[in-house]
Amino acid sequence: MEKKNLSQQTADRLYNMIVVERRLAPGEKLPNEVDLARELGVSRTTLREALHALASRNILEVRRGRGTFVSPQVEHINDFGFSDLDQVKGQLRDLFELRRIFEPSAARLACLRASEEEMAEILACGEQVDRCIRENQDRTQADREFHAAIVRATHNEFMMRLLPMINQAVEAAVISGEHKDQLAEDTRRDHALIMDFFQKRDASGSEHAMAIHMHHSIDVMGLEG
């Protein structure tokens, strides 16, 4: 398999930040080149090549004298037919069935492929979820970031494209009032197990731990069947 050059890799990272993880909203201006290049760990030349590639795909817009902005068209990418959370709730069983199939395998691949920096990010995100639960704070964003960090570490472009649906499932579960306390308790315990296997670089263990996490969520929310 031909290895992507650095500018292509950088373009992919920016694409994921914008389209998949929604870190930047449509119409939002990107940070200046110096700061963004530093954040991504690349040269300004590499960054410019990546920005040009994304502009050619209508992901970004370069406005002369004003900077680079996220294209408004991004809002309609990877919608998957869900326009609001109420619709997502109606499809929770299907979404969690997808997670049960997808996320254990993603955990296995991430455990095998994650760089040291990516592994540190996964563990840091997991600790943030735990902190939010212990301090009775909203964990929606932290939970999304934990699962997203795992999927990013698979280095699989098509797995990344499933993240919008995973994010929606996570959000719907977190705000589910009826099961909120039990889900939070299960999440703390399950995430601790997942992180333990990640720290050991135990791919099989991380896969099984994630499968257990998905099973607990489905069981508590009454989505089996």
Side-chain angles (χ1 to χ4, degrees), residues 120-218:
E121 181 183 12
I122 290 168
L123 297 176
C125 289
E127 289 169 1
Q128 179 61 25
V129 175
D130 183 74
R131 188 177 304 112
C132 288
I133 293 173
R134 283 189 288 106
E135 297 177 0
N136 200 29
Q137 297 178 355
D138 179 19
R139 73 176 192 278
T140 307
Q141 184 61 31
D143 213 337
R144 281 199 303 241
E145 288 175 358
F146 175 66
H147 289 278
I150 291 172
V151 176
R152 281 197 302 273
T154 68
H155 298 276
N156 184 302
E157 179 179 349
F158 292 97
M159 283 189 169
M160 284 295 302
R161 295 189 183 191
L162 288 175
L163 260 181
M165 286 192 289
I166 301 305
N167 286 341
Q168 288 170 317
V170 169
E171 182 174 358
V174 169
I175 68 172
S176 177
E178 185 180 354
H179 313 287
K180 193 171 184 179
D181 292 341
Q182 184 62 53
L183 283 171
E185 181 182 331
D186 287 347
T187 294
R188 280 197 71 191
R189 183 183 61 246
D190 294 348
H191 279 198
L193 185 61
I194 293 167
M195 291 163 64
D196 183 54
F197 283 119
F198 265 99
Q199 285 180 310
K200 296 174 181 175
R201 290 279 185 174
D202 184 334
S204 179
S206 65
E207 180 178 22
H208 289 303
M210 184 65 79
I212 289 169
H213 183 38
M214 293 300 103
H215 172 75
H216 284 157
S217 297
I218 289 170

Side-chain angles (χ1 to χ4, degrees), residues 16-101:
N16 290 331
M17 288 170 61
I18 295 167
V19 177
V20 179
E21 299 171 49
R22 306 292 185 182
R23 292 197 207 176
L24 296 166
E28 187 173 346
K29 185 178 180 180
L30 268 64
N32 66 60
E33 280 189 4
V34 174
D35 291 340
L36 189 55
R38 185 183 301 116
E39 178 184 347
L40 296 171
V42 298
S43 69
R44 293 174 69 183
T45 300
T46 296
L47 176 62
R48 287 187 191 121
E49 291 173 356
L51 296 176
H52 177 75
L54 291 179
S56 69
R57 295 164 59 186
N58 296 318
I59 303 299
L60 297 175
E61 291 181 353
V62 179
R63 301 176 188 173
R64 191 177 300 277
R66 297 182 58 197
T68 303
F69 295 77
V70 177
S71 170
Q73 296 181 40
V74 166
E75 185 175 1
H76 305 292
I77 297 176
N78 284 347
D79 179 71
F80 294 104
F82 298 119
S83 60
D84 58 51
L85 193 55
D86 287 337
Q87 287 180 287
V88 176
K89 285 180 179 177
Q91 299 292 334
L92 263 186
R93 189 183 73 175
D94 290 349
L95 281 169
F96 271 85
E97 284 180 352
L98 170 67
R99 293 187 72 188
R100 182 163 58 182
I101 294 167

